[in-house]
C-alpha cells in the first residue's frame, strides 16, 4: 500500500485565494464589479502595449496576473496571530516584513504572510496583510481590560481546522481530501458576521477610542476587510471607477506614474456602511469592508528604497484631496528617480532576475569575476535581466488605506514605540527581511544564468 501523496502548498494556497475571492464577491458585490473593471483595464493595457505583454510573458508574470491579489485581516491577540501563522504555513505562506502603523495613529503592528520563493510566487503570490491590535494603546484601563476579556472568550478557528493544522504539522502535509476540507474550514475564520458579540454601548465605547479597536474586538472573527486585484494601469482604473458605479478614495498612494513602475501604487473604494445587530438586539452601523486596487512595480534595493522614502517625504506637504494635483506634484519630485531599467540596474537601485538567453561559448575557466562577465553577456544579448516584482507593502501607503476607510485621520500622538520583538513572539518566529529575499533571488539567478552559459559544473569552475 503506497501512502497517498500530499497536496502541494501552492495548490492549497491557490484554492484558498479563489475561495476567499468567491466568498468576498458574495459578501461585497461591489468587489466583483472591481474585478471586472481591473480585468477590462488589464486586457486593454496589454493590447495597447505589446512590449509590456512580451516582457511579462518572458518573465513568467503574465500567468499570475489574473489570479493575483492580496487581502487584509486584523486580529486581537497574540494567540490568534500565532495560530494564524500555523494556518498560513500549510499554504506555504510565511511572515515577511514588519510594519509599525502606530506612527500614523493606527493602533496596530503588522506583517504580511506570503510565499517566499520564485516558483511559489509565480504560481500564486496571494498575500495577507495581517495586523495585530495593540491593546496597550487603549488609554482607559477599564476599557482595555474589557476589550481583553472579550477577546479572550472567542475562538476564531473551527475545531476541524485546528485538527487539520495539527495533522499537517505531524505528517508534513495534507492529502487532497484533507486539503479541500482545510480550505473550506480555513475560509470560515475570515467570514463576515452581522452579529456583534457585544452590546451597542460597548461597541460605542471602543469605537470612541479608535474605530479599528471596535472592528477587531466586537466581532466573532477577523473578517477579511478587503481583497485587492493587481492592475497594469492604476490611473486608468482610478479614472474608470465612477463609470462602474464605484467611488474611489481621493488619492492614489505610493510613487507616481512612471515609465518603469516601482514598488506599489494603491487606491481603494470607500468602506461600506453595514448594518449590525448588537447583543440585546439593537441595530447599528459599522464601516469596515472595502475594495482596493494595486499596481506593482520593481522591488527596490535598500538604496532605491531610501531614495523613495526621501522623495515621498518631500511630497508630503503637497498631499491634497485632488489626485490630479497631487500626482503632478509627486511626478515633479520623483524626476530625481531614474526611470529606465538599465540605470535602475546599473546603479543598483532595483532588483533583477537574470536569465540565460541562448548559448554561449565562454570558457568556464576564464578568469573574470561574475559581475563583469554578466555585464558583457548582457551587452552581447546572452543574458536578459527582468525586473523582480515587489511582493510586499508600504507603511505610509498602508496608513493612508487604513485611514481612508476608518473615516478618520486619528493620526497624531506618535504612540508608544512598537516592538518587532513583541510581534515575533506572538508569531512564534521571526519575520523575514524582504530585502534579503529579493537579494537572494537576484544572486541565485545570476549564478544559474552564468552556470548555464558557461557550462559551469563544480569540476570546471574556479573556486
Ligand atoms: C490594512 C491596510 C493596509 C495595504 O494594502 O497597504 C493594506 C487594513 O486595513 O487592515 O491593506
Ligand atoms: Ni491592502
Amino acid at each position: 500500500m503506497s501512502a497517498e501523496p500530499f497536496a502541494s502548498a501552492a495548490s492549497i494556497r491557490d484554492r484558498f485565494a479563489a475561495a476567499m475571492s468567491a466568498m468576498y464577491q458574495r459578501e461585497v458585490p461591489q468587489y466583483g464589479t472591481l474585478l471586472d473593471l481591473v480585468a477590462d483595464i488589464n486586457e486593454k493595457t496589454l493590447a495597447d502595449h505589446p512590449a509590456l505583454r512580451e516582457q511579462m510573458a518572458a518573465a513568467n508574470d503574465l500567468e499570475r496576473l489574473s489570479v493575483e491579489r492580496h487581502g487584509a485581516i486584523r486580529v486581537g491577540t497574540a494567540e490568534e496571530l500565532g495560530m494564524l501563522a500555523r494556518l498560513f504555513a500549510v499554504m506555504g505562506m510565511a511572515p515577511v516584513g514588519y510594519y509599525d502603523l502606530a506612527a500614523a495613529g493606527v493602533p496596530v503592528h503588522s506583517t504580511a504572510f506570503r510565499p517566499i520563493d520564485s516558483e511559489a510566487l509565480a504560481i500564486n503570490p496571494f498575500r495577507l496583510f495581517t495586523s495585530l491590535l495593540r491593546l496597550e494603546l487603549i488609554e482607559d484601563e477599564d476599557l482595555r481590560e474589557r476589550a481583553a476579556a472579550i477577546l479572550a472568550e472567542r475562538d476564531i478557528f473551527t475545531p476541524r481546522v485546528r485538527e487539520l493544522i495539527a495533522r499537517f504539522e505531524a505528517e508534513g502535509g495534507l492529502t487532497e481530501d484533507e486539503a479541500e476540507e482545510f480550505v473550506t474550514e480555513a475560509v470560515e475564520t475570515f467570514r463576515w458576521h452581522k452579529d456583534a458579540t457585544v452590546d451597542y454601548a460597548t461597541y460605542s465605547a471602543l469605537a470612541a477610542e479608535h474605530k479599528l479597536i471596535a472592528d477587531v474586538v466586537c466581532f466573532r472573527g477577523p473578517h477579511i476587510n478587503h481583497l485587492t486585484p493587481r492592475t497594469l494601469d492604476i490611473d486608468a482604473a482610478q479614472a474608470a471607477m465612477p463609470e462602474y458605479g464605484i467611488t474611489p478614495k481621493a488619492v492614489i498612494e505610493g510613487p507616481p506614474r512612471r515609465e518603469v513602475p516601482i514598488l506599489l501604487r494603491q487606491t481603494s473604494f470607500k468602506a461600506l456602511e453595514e448594518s449590525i445587530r448588537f447583543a440585546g438586539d439593537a441595530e447599528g452601523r459599522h464601516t469596515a469592508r472595502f475594495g482596493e486596487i494595486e499596481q506593482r512595480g520593481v522591488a527596490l534595493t535598500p538604496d532605491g528604497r531610501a531614495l523613495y522614502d526621501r522623495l515621498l517625504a518631500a511630497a508630503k506637504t503637497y498631499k491634497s484631496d485632488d489626485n490630479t494635483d497631487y500626482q503632478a506634484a509627486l511626478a515633479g519630485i520623483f524626476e530625481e528617480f531614474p526611470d529606465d531599467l538599465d540605470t535602475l540596474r546599473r546603479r543598483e537601485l532595483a532588483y533583477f532576475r537574470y536569465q540565460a538567453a541562448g548559448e554561449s561559448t565562454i570558457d568556464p575557466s576564464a578568469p573574470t569575476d561574475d559581475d563583469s562577465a554578466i555585464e558583457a553577456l548582457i551587452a552581447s544579448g546572452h543574458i536578459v535581466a527582468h525586473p523582480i516584482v515587489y511582493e510586499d507593502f508600504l507603511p505610509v501607503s498602508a496608513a493612508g488605506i487604513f485611514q481612508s476607510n476608518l473615516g478618520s485621520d486619528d493620526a497624531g500622538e506618535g504612540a508608544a514605540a512598537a516592538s518587532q520583538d513583541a510581534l515575533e513572539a506572538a508569531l512564534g518566529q521571526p519575520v523575514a527581511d524582504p530585502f534579503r529575499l529579493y537579494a537572494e533571488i537576484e544572486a541565485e539567478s545570476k549564478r544559474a544564468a552564468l552556470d548555464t552559459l558557461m557550462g559551469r559544473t563544480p569540476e570546471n569552475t574556479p573556486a
Side-chain angles (χ1 to χ4, degrees):
M1 206 179 88
S2 69
E4 227 187 295
F6 292 138
S8 73
S11 88
I12 306 178
R13 179 174 67 255
D14 197 40
R15 281 179 265 182
F16 174 75
M20 290 283 278
S21 181
M23 180 175 81
Y24 202 56
Q25 284 176 66
R26 285 193 302 273
E27 289 184 348
V28 180
Q30 210 169 32
Y31 167 67
T33 311
L34 194 72
L35 288 182
D36 292 341
L37 179 160
V38 166
D40 292 350
I41 301 248
N42 286 353
E43 198 178 309
K44 181 166 186 320
T45 308
L46 288 169
D48 291 350
H49 301 89
L52 176 66
R53 178 188 280 279
E54 260 170 56
Q55 181 210 314
M56 289 188 69
N60 246 333
D61 273 343
L62 213 45
E63 294 277 294
R64 61 180 248 184
L65 184 63
S66 63
V67 297
E68 171 153 5
R69 53 208 53 161
H70 84 250
I73 50 177
R74 309 153 180 168
V75 292
T77 67
E79 290 69 32
E80 289 175 351
L81 186 63
M83 192 67 195
L84 274 185
R86 293 171 58 195
L87 181 148
F88 290 132
V90 173
M91 300 185 273
M93 296 158 79
V96 179
Y98 176 73
Y99 304 88
D100 172 14
L101 279 298
V106 184
V108 300
H109 50 176
S110 316
T111 187
F113 287 95
R114 69 162 174 88
I116 302 278
D117 63 64
S118 306
E119 296 76 39
L121 287 163
I123 298 170
N124 188 325
F126 187 68
R127 353 170 163 67
L128 274 169
F129 191 88
T130 303
S131 301
L132 175 62
L133 186 61
R134 294 179 59 208
L135 271 185
E136 75 273 16
L137 297 183
I138 301 183
E139 274 164 30
D140 181 308
E141 198 182 319
D142 281 351
L143 196 59
R144 189 167 63 234
E145 281 169 11
R146 189 130 58 100
I150 296 165
L151 287 169
E153 261 179 39
R154 73 179 187 183
D155 185 354
I156 64 173
F157 301 98
T158 68
R160 184 62 182 148
V161 89
R162 286 182 179 275
E163 280 169 22
L164 288 165
I165 292 167
R167 187 161 176 84
F168 170 86
E169 290 168 349
E171 306 291 324
L174 296 179
T175 65
E176 271 305 315
D177 287 351
E178 288 167 345
E180 279 299 315
E181 212 190 339
F182 171 83
V183 168
T184 309
E185 295 284 328
V187 164
E188 280 306 306
T189 293
F190 308 107
R191 183 180 292 292
W192 174 247
H193 301 281
K194 188 179 185 306
D195 298 302
T197 54
V198 302
D199 60 22
Y200 187 68
T202 305
Y203 171 88
S204 302
L206 290 167
E209 192 80 23
H210 198 295
K211 275 192 169 166
L212 191 76
I213 298 174
D215 184 61
V216 176
V217 175
C218 301
F219 296 90
R220 286 223 302 280
H223 38 258
I224 178 85
N225 68 53
H226 66 280
L227 282 174
T228 307
R230 176 176 166 200
T231 178
L232 296 173
D233 187 344
I234 199 164
D235 302 283
Q238 172 95 353
M241 276 203 236
E243 276 168 52
Y244 285 72
I246 302 173
T247 310
K249 96 187 249 308
V251 297
I252 298 174
E253 302 285 346
R257 185 181 185 88
R258 299 160 37 93
E259 285 300 316
V260 179
I262 52 172
L263 298 174
L264 177 62
R265 301 180 73 206
Q266 293 162 284
T267 185
S268 58
F269 67 72
K270 291 289 182 71
L272 316 170
E273 254 215 347
E274 306 186 80
S275 80
I276 304 293
R277 200 163 38 239
F278 292 95
D281 249 9
E283 289 274 336
R285 306 190 78 70
H286 178 68
T287 50
R289 303 186 305 153
F290 58 100
E292 188 190 337
I293 303 179
E294 65 184 17
Q295 177 170 8
R296 290 189 176 265
V298 65
L300 300 184
T301 61
D303 281 355
R305 179 57 183 270
L307 179 56
Y308 170 77
D309 286 340
R310 177 163 66 75
L311 297 179
L312 192 73
K316 207 172 163 188
T317 50
Y318 295 94
K319 202 135 187 187
S320 74
D321 274 355
D322 186 305
N323 189 48
T324 312
D325 286 355
Y326 175 61
Q327 293 299 327
L330 202 57
I333 291 169
F334 270 76
E335 267 170 24
E336 199 183 327
F337 208 119
D339 196 12
D340 65 279
L341 286 172
D342 209 47
T343 310
L344 290 170
R345 195 179 62 76
R346 285 166 183 278
R347 288 188 39 195
E348 296 186 23
L349 293 170
Y351 290 108
F352 289 81
R353 190 189 338 267
Y354 295 82
Q355 191 182 33
E359 310 223 329
S360 163
T361 50
I362 297 165
D363 176 0
S365 58
T368 161
D369 71 90
D370 281 5
D371 280 340
S372 27
I374 284 197
E375 286 313 312
L377 288 163
I378 287 179
S380 64
H382 290 93
I383 284 185
V384 281
H386 304 291
I388 297 179
V389 177
Y390 187 59
E391 308 287 354
D392 294 287
F393 295 86
L394 297 168
V396 175
S397 299
I401 300 278
F402 266 111
Q403 278 152 2
S404 79
N405 285 294
L406 293 166
S408 73
D409 44 12
D410 277 352
E413 321 109 68
S419 132
Q420 182 166 340
D421 287 348
L423 191 83
E424 292 181 335
L427 284 165
Q429 60 189 296
V431 298
D433 171 4
F435 290 114
R436 238 184 82 192
L437 298 178
Y438 298 116
E440 277 168 13
I441 290 175
E442 181 177 273
E444 176 50 36
S445 73
K446 275 187 183 171
R447 226 172 0 251
L450 284 176
D451 288 354
T452 305
L453 289 176
M454 296 178 153
R456 284 205 306 212
T457 62
E459 289 73 44
N460 67 12
T461 305

